[in-house]
Amino acid sequence: MDLVQNHNQRETTMPKKILIAESSRTEALRTRLILERAELKVVMAQNGKEVLEQAAEQQPELILLDTLLPGMSGFEVCGRLLLDPKTNHIPVVMMIPAETPVDMPSGSELDCFLPKPFEPSVLVQRVQGMLNGNHGSPSAPPANESVHRARNDFLANMRHELRRPLHEIFGLTDLLLGTVL
């Protein structure tokens, strides 16, 4: 009897496992840090194929899925997750660029959308809500929608402008590291 109680207590205290699939390495690490600080276990995937493999093997309680994954779009990955009996029970949150309309449908096929960039508190609130069975968008809208939208537009533009030269730098660095001098 004590063994069963001990096992049940261990189950309730184990951190929930979240699978993150994000096209931006920086955003993936940022999201991971936020969730780990919220005492959640994080598993990472870099592309659609890895998401499908990790979801089947790791059986996370929730998947945060970027729409712009390399090789296979997040929407295609989500469709494949829903078709696989091993993964069709796992809730999915699609992380969408701020420019994408946020009034997309939610439902049993796709649990919700999370516009990027997001505030850490919004991410934690959304993830905790999904883990507790509260699907859909957060209950309280931003205090000033126009300020929030302008901020998101600015950050999305800056991210795009910074990302392009950084990709060039990373590419050149990889090239230099692979070159024999």
Side-chain angles (χ1 to χ4, degrees):
M1 184 71 165
D2 290 331
L3 183 61
V4 172
Q5 286 176 337
N6 190 15
H7 177 71
N8 288 340
Q9 286 175 344
R10 203 176 322 125
E11 258 185 30
T12 58
T13 59
M14 290 182 68
K16 303 275 184 167
K17 190 184 310 177
I18 311 297
L19 173 58
I20 299 172
E22 167 63 58
S23 59
S24 164
R25 204 166 148 180
T26 304
E27 279 300 309
L29 294 173
R30 176 180 176 259
T31 304
R32 178 182 187 171
L33 179 64
I34 293 166
L35 294 177
E36 285 177 344
R37 285 183 178 166
E39 298 182 5
L40 297 165
K41 183 176 180 184
V42 176
V43 178
M44 306 284 283
Q46 295 180 346
N47 57 51
K49 183 180 176 197
E50 282 185 28
V51 173
L52 297 172
E53 291 170 358
Q54 293 281 0
E57 290 173 18
Q58 300 284 332
Q59 289 294 302
E61 279 80 14
L62 177 68
I63 299 173
L64 294 176
L65 186 59
D66 187 7
T67 56
L68 305 172
L69 291 175
M72 187 184 319
S73 80
F75 294 107
E76 184 178 349
V77 172
C78 185
R80 290 186 184 195
L81 289 167
L82 291 170
L83 292 174
D84 187 342
K86 295 177 192 169
T87 59
N88 64 5
H89 65 281
I90 303 171
V92 176
V93 175
M94 296 294 290
M95 298 186 293
I96 59 171
E99 314 78 60
T100 307
V102 292
D103 56 350
M104 293 181 172
S106 294
S108 59
E109 291 80 30
L110 187 63
D111 300 293
C112 74
F113 292 88
L114 179 64
K116 303 183 307 185
F118 43 77
E119 293 293 324
S121 61
V122 172
L123 173 65
V124 172
Q125 177 187 11
R126 179 67 56 90
V127 167
Q128 293 293 356
M130 295 297 294
L131 292 173
N132 294 328
N134 182 13
H135 302 275
S137 55
S139 56
N144 188 340
E145 187 65 36
S146 63
V147 171
H148 183 69
R149 189 173 304 262
R151 177 187 170 277
N152 282 345
D153 289 345
F154 173 75
L155 290 174
N157 287 335
M158 291 306 297
R159 180 175 169 199
H160 173 74
E161 293 300 322
L162 291 172
R163 187 183 241 180
R164 194 171 25 167
L166 286 175
H167 283 294
E168 294 296 323
I169 291 169
F170 289 137
L172 288 172
T173 303
D174 288 343
L175 182 65
L176 288 172
L177 290 174
T179 304
V180 179
L181 298 176

